[in-house]
Amino acid sequence: MSHPKGDFDSARAVWRSAPGESHGSRVEVAFVDDLIGLRNGADPESPVLVFTQDEWDAFVAGAKDGEFDV
């Protein structure tokens, strides 16, 4: 099934996570062509959230600005 944003090829993804203790869970990110995938690294078979570059840039800017602080 194709994703509306394009085909995110998980087979070509090189998943990365932040260094340090994961305490059993972590978020992983992979950049494949023009798409960015985000998944639960503790469960590599979990669904992948797919972002365009513009969406990713907006997310990162929001995180830097504290938009997601709780």
Side-chain angles (χ1 to χ4, degrees):
M1 173 188 243
S2 291
H3 192 280
K5 296 176 186 174
D7 292 324
F8 183 82
D9 186 357
S10 292
R12 293 181 31 229
V14 176
W15 295 99
R16 298 183 284 176
S17 60
E21 275 302 310
S22 65
H23 300 289
S25 65
R26 65 182 181 278
V27 173
E28 292 182 328
V29 64
F31 298 84
V32 178
D33 299 327
D34 294 335
L35 297 174
I36 297 94
L38 199 66
R39 73 176 184 184
N40 176 355
D43 180 10
E45 299 303 315
S46 64
V48 175
L49 300 175
V50 178
F51 299 91
T52 64
Q53 188 63 56
D54 287 341
E55 291 169 332
W56 183 254
D57 292 344
F59 169 72
V60 170
K64 287 180 179 179
D65 286 343
E67 200 173 310
F68 308 111
D69 292 353
V70 290

